[in-house]
Amino acid sequence: VPKVTPEHRDARRRQILDGARRAFGRFGYEAATVPRLEEETGLSRGAIFSYYPSKLDLFLALAEEDQARLLEVWIEGGFDALVREVVARPEWIGVYLDVPRMLRADPALRDRWRAFNPLGQERLASRIEALRSAGEIRSDVGLETIGKFLGAVYDGICVHLGAGFDVDVDGTLELVRAALAPPAVR
Amino acid sequence: VPKVTPEHRDARRRQILDGARRAFGRFGYEAATVPRLEEETGLSRGAIFSYYPSKLDLFLALAEEDQARLLEVWIEGGFDALVREVVARPEWIGVYLDVPRMLRADPALRDRWRAFNPLGQERLASRIEALRSAGEIRSDVGLETIGKFLGAVYDGICVHLGAGFDVDVDGTLELVRAALAPPAVR
């Protein structure tokens, strides 16, 4: 048996994730069959499933990785930076077009999806709280309301990008800023 | 050959549309196979496809019907009424969860989708223009920007409803109002 180093395992994992992203983005979750995953990753099903127990786990590993990265962009650069990040890579969004249907059909998956990265979510909430305390965004509506509003705008933008429609980034962000501005400075 | 009255044809068309809505909502566009459409409509494929030349045409007939109704709600009752209308019937949205992927894969369909109901779209634009002239919404950002912003919020809400997440209707609508309020009255 050849020795498998941690570096080798990391490289293989990367190869699987990158190939799977291409397959999911091109065909959608359902139609990204195991033969297509094999073709895009250049690896056998045996190799793929020795790293991820199922297609769903592989998909969720991609989603968790993306969500961690995007939360970081949001926390560091604000909502504007988040939107600009997804607009800069519209091909990436194809991977997620099947998610609403998947979540609709599977309440357990919905709970799992919502519970991704609790630490990042907490850090984001603290960041928004800090902006409220500093008077940069309004404090007369709840934090959860702000989160749901921004989530709707973000997901709407992702749907438009995914479907191939143009997005008015600057105009939309200007209206989002007006929505969240404290009454005093509006 | 029995005589087929216009009333009979209308009733059959309704039966087909209602059954197809159930099938698309339950299984998604791709998985709503012809046998499933036959089962939900209670009609043979021959009968179904004598009214609609293809599954896509049947789906688009539903979409066009819905869009006409929702545009009417928007024009008559404003964006609040539109959102409350979709929130009141979350099961309806299931029919549309596959649309972004369908549009992504087919630019011709995207153009067709965008060109639905030009008269209704014009009436909506006039309505928003009238609100701007009356000073009820801001006139310092373009009409198209307002349309894209509201479209993103609306589609984001639809995705959340479709996926089975809660939507904060009142809070979201309050923030939308703040986004569109003229600077003077904010």
Side-chain angles (χ1 to χ4, degrees):
Chain A
V1 178
K3 198 175 161 211
V4 177
T5 63
E7 290 75 20
H8 177 89
R9 284 193 67 83
D10 286 351
R12 269 281 186 277
R13 205 178 275 280
R14 195 67 263 154
Q15 182 181 355
I16 293 168
L17 290 172
D18 291 345
R21 180 182 298 283
R22 286 190 296 273
F24 289 132
R26 193 162 155 205
F27 301 110
Y29 181 77
E30 285 304 334
T33 56
V34 173
R36 282 170 167 166
L37 288 168
E38 288 180 309
E39 194 180 349
E40 288 289 348
T41 59
L43 293 168
S44 70
R45 63 193 68 196
I48 296 169
F49 294 124
S50 76
Y51 284 81
Y52 297 95
S54 70
K55 185 168 114 172
L56 181 60
D57 287 290
L58 176 50
F59 180 78
L60 292 176
L62 276 175
E64 207 158 1
E65 195 176 69
D66 284 343
Q67 221 209 47
R69 183 176 59 79
L70 290 171
L71 259 174
E72 210 53 47
V73 171
W74 191 349
I75 293 164
E76 294 301 319
F79 189 71
D80 285 32
L82 174 70
V83 169
R84 291 187 199 286
E85 170 75 15
V86 297
V87 170
R89 303 205 277 152
E91 72 294 345
W92 156 87
I93 212 76
V95 176
Y96 292 101
L97 290 177
D98 291 334
V99 168
R101 176 167 300 286
M102 291 165 70
L103 298 184
R104 181 184 187 83
D106 185 347
L109 181 61
R110 198 151 67 218
D111 292 339
R112 199 169 157 189
W113 189 267
R114 205 167 2 206
F116 270 176
N117 199 350
L119 190 64
Q121 290 190 30
E122 241 174 69
R123 284 175 52 227
L124 176 62
S126 303
R127 176 85 188 108
I128 297 179
E129 267 306 354
L131 290 171
R132 280 152 63 107
S133 302
E136 292 190 38
I137 64 175
R138 63 198 294 172
S139 51
D140 61 336
V141 292
L143 191 63
E144 209 181 331
T145 294
I146 290 176
K148 286 194 175 179
F149 169 73
L150 293 177
V153 174
Y154 173 79
D155 283 326
I157 287 174
C158 287
V159 166
H160 290 183
L161 286 173
F165 290 124
D166 290 337
V167 171
D168 178 354
V169 180
D170 292 334
T172 300
L173 289 176
E174 186 183 342
L175 292 174
V176 167
R177 272 191 299 275
L180 300 186
V185 305
R186 254 180 260 162
Chain B
V1 178
K3 198 176 161 211
V4 178
T5 63
E7 290 72 23
H8 177 88
R9 284 194 66 83
D10 286 352
R12 269 282 187 276
R13 206 178 275 279
R14 195 67 264 152
Q15 183 180 354
I16 292 168
L17 290 171
D18 291 345
R21 180 181 298 283
R22 286 191 295 274
F24 289 132
R26 191 162 156 205
F27 301 110
Y29 180 77
E30 286 305 334
T33 57
V34 173
R36 283 170 168 166
L37 288 169
E38 288 181 308
E39 195 181 348
E40 288 289 349
T41 59
L43 293 168
S44 70
R45 62 194 69 196
I48 295 169
F49 294 123
S50 77
Y51 285 81
Y52 297 95
S54 70
K55 185 169 115 173
L56 182 59
D57 287 290
L58 176 50
F59 179 77
L60 292 176
L62 277 176
E64 207 158 1
E65 194 176 70
D66 283 343
Q67 222 208 46
R69 182 176 58 80
L70 291 171
L71 258 173
E72 210 53 47
V73 171
W74 191 347
I75 293 165
E76 294 301 319
F79 188 72
D80 285 31
L82 174 69
V83 169
R84 291 188 199 285
E85 171 74 16
V86 299
V87 169
R89 303 205 277 153
E91 71 295 344
W92 156 89
I93 211 75
V95 176
Y96 292 101
L97 290 177
D98 291 332
V99 168
R101 175 166 301 285
M102 291 165 70
L103 298 183
R104 179 185 188 81
D106 184 347
L109 181 60
R110 197 150 68 219
D111 293 340
R112 199 169 158 188
W113 189 268
R114 204 168 1 206
F116 270 175
N117 200 350
L119 189 64
Q121 290 190 28
E122 244 174 66
R123 284 175 52 226
L124 176 62
S126 304
R127 176 85 187 110
I128 297 178
E129 266 308 354
L131 290 171
R132 280 152 64 106
S133 303
E136 292 190 39
I137 64 175
R138 62 197 296 172
S139 50
D140 61 336
V141 292
L143 192 63
E144 208 180 332
T145 294
I146 290 175
K148 286 193 176 180
F149 169 74
L150 292 177
V153 174
Y154 174 78
D155 284 326
I157 287 172
C158 287
V159 165
H160 290 184
L161 285 174
F165 290 125
D166 290 337
V167 171
D168 178 355
V169 180
D170 293 333
T172 299
L173 290 175
E174 185 183 344
L175 291 173
V176 167
R177 271 191 299 276
L180 299 185
V185 305
R186 255 179 258 160

